[in-house]
Structure formats: structure tokens, C-alpha cells
Amino acid sequence: MKYDTLLFDLDGTLLDTLDDLRDSTNHALRTFGLAERSREEIRSFVGNGVRNLMLKAVPKGTPDALFEAVFAEFRAHYAEHWRDSTQPYPQIMEMLEALKARGHRMAVISNKSDAEVKKLARDFFGELLPIAVGDRPGVPRKPEPDTVFRTLEALGGTPERALYIGDSEVDVRTARNAAVDLVAVSWGFRSREELVQAGAGCIIDSPLELLALV
């Protein structure tokens, strides 16, 4: 076993959350009379937490007080509609089950809020991914390596035998900053070309390809 510990990004890697994020974003924008965003715009905005998503979604120059109101509306709507369309990508469950059977230690690391990450991981993956870590006060978010190091410690893993799997430039930088190997995935929120430009050296096009790499 080349890698005994596998660390997965969540949105765009394991779960296709794009439509629910788009719908909640546009609900919040529409509520306050702001221009809505296309699915492709939302795709380009995600990857560094929902607050950053909304900062990019509102018009430039939006007053702070208005932004906070829009963001609060987004959070309230998303809390009620986070599972309307969200599903694991094809082959994800089969991949995770095979990796679990092989004895790999696995966890989720996301820039979503810690409570949201734990709920999504529990509801969709259960004991396949018992450790799920999101954004918490006092802990720098990805691409800083802190969550990677803390999660490795919790799993009893080491950077030398850990592999990070993600779909965005934030994930590429996270793996680099933590000095762990990276596999980028092309089925998520960034294209293969964008991943190459970000510095990803290994890119897979379907989840089951990962089985041959670990």
C-alpha cells in the first residue's frame, strides 16, 4: 500500500453540490434585488468556502451591511435546501467502499463550515468517512496546511504516506503546503486545463482510477 491515509475534498470531489449552491446563491441575490449568477459563474466561484462564494457573487462595491444580509439569507436558504439536488458523483460510493475494504484510513477536509461538513459526510457516507473536518474558528482554512496536519494526527497518518484528492486550485495549493502528494479530479468544479495551470501533476477522470494509484 503506497498511501495508507487518504484525504478528500468534499464539494466538487465527492459531492456534486453545484446546483444547490447556485439555487441558494440566486435566491439570496434575488431577495435583495441583485443580479443572479449563471451555473458556470457559480462553478468558478466555489472552492474556498461559502462566504467567499457570496463575496464573488454580489456586485462589486456592495456595502458591507447589504452583503451580510445577503449572506445570511443564503445561509438560511441553504440550510433548508442543501440536499435538494446534491448527490455523490458517479462511482464515488463504489470507490470509497473498495478503499475502505483495503484498509485505507480516510477523511474529508473542506472549507465549508465544520457543522455542514460533518452533516454532509454523515448523511451521505456514514462510516465510510467517519472523520470530516470543516472550517472552524482559530484554524486557518485551506490552502493553509493546518487542517491537513490535524487530520493526519487524528488518523495516525504521516505526510509521507498520505494522499490528498481534490478538484480545485485551492486543493493543489493545500497539498503543496502540507507536503503531501496530490491527485486532482477532472469531474468537479475546475476543468483539466485549469488544474494543469494550477500545477496539478496527476489528474484522474473517474473515481475508480484512484484505486490503481494507492
Side-chain angles (χ1 to χ4, degrees):
M1 187 184 297
K2 184 176 180 182
Y3 301 105
D4 58 19
T5 308
L6 308 176
L7 307 175
F8 292 92
D9 173 56
L10 185 62
D11 294 49
T13 300
L14 297 176
L15 290 179
D16 184 357
T17 57
L18 186 58
D19 286 341
D20 286 335
L21 290 170
R22 176 202 59 196
D23 292 347
S24 290
T25 298
N26 283 334
H27 166 82
L29 294 171
R30 188 167 58 247
T31 297
F32 289 89
L34 302 176
E36 297 182 32
R37 296 290 193 163
S38 70
R39 191 174 192 271
E40 287 310 304
E41 285 178 312
I42 299 298
R43 181 193 297 276
S44 72
F45 295 161
V46 296
N48 203 16
V50 292
R51 186 176 183 86
N52 282 313
L53 160 62
M54 292 307 297
L55 283 168
K56 293 176 180 177
V58 298
K60 271 188 179 177
T62 296
D64 290 347
L66 176 56
F67 168 76
E68 294 299 340
V70 174
F71 184 48
E73 185 67 26
F74 166 87
R75 294 297 297 268
H77 188 273
Y78 190 65
E80 296 294 326
H81 297 276
W82 62 274
R83 202 171 175 175
D84 288 358
S85 302
T86 291
Q87 290 292 333
Y89 286 101
Q91 301 182 356
I92 288 293
M93 300 305 295
E94 185 180 352
M95 174 198 73
L96 291 175
E97 288 164 359
L99 292 169
K100 187 79 169 180
R102 292 183 182 183
H104 293 281
R105 293 173 287 200
M106 299 185 290
V108 169
I109 300 176
S110 172
N111 277 340
K112 255 189 164 84
S113 76
D114 193 59
E116 289 172 338
V117 171
K118 285 177 167 52
K119 181 175 179 59
L120 285 162
R122 181 180 65 249
D123 287 2
F124 282 107
F125 306 116
E127 288 306 308
L128 288 172
L129 290 167
I131 295 181
V133 180
D135 186 35
R136 295 166 291 170
V139 182
R141 62 170 57 215
K142 301 185 298 182
E144 297 303 318
D146 302 62
T147 52
V148 171
F149 295 149
R150 292 185 182 211
T151 305
L152 285 175
E153 183 177 1
L155 289 169
T158 63
E160 294 76 20
R161 298 201 65 199
L163 182 66
Y164 187 96
I165 302 98
D167 73 301
S168 76
E169 67 282 353
V170 173
D171 298 310
V172 175
R173 295 200 304 271
T174 300
R176 184 183 300 127
N177 291 339
V180 299
D181 287 348
L182 168 80
V183 169
V185 307
S186 67
W187 59 79
F189 296 157
R190 300 292 184 269
S191 67
R192 173 177 280 271
E193 292 73 21
E194 288 171 312
L195 292 169
V196 169
Q197 187 174 19
C202 179
I203 304 172
I204 59 175
D205 299 314
S206 69
L208 295 182
E209 290 181 49
L210 185 65
L211 301 179
L213 301 177
V214 299

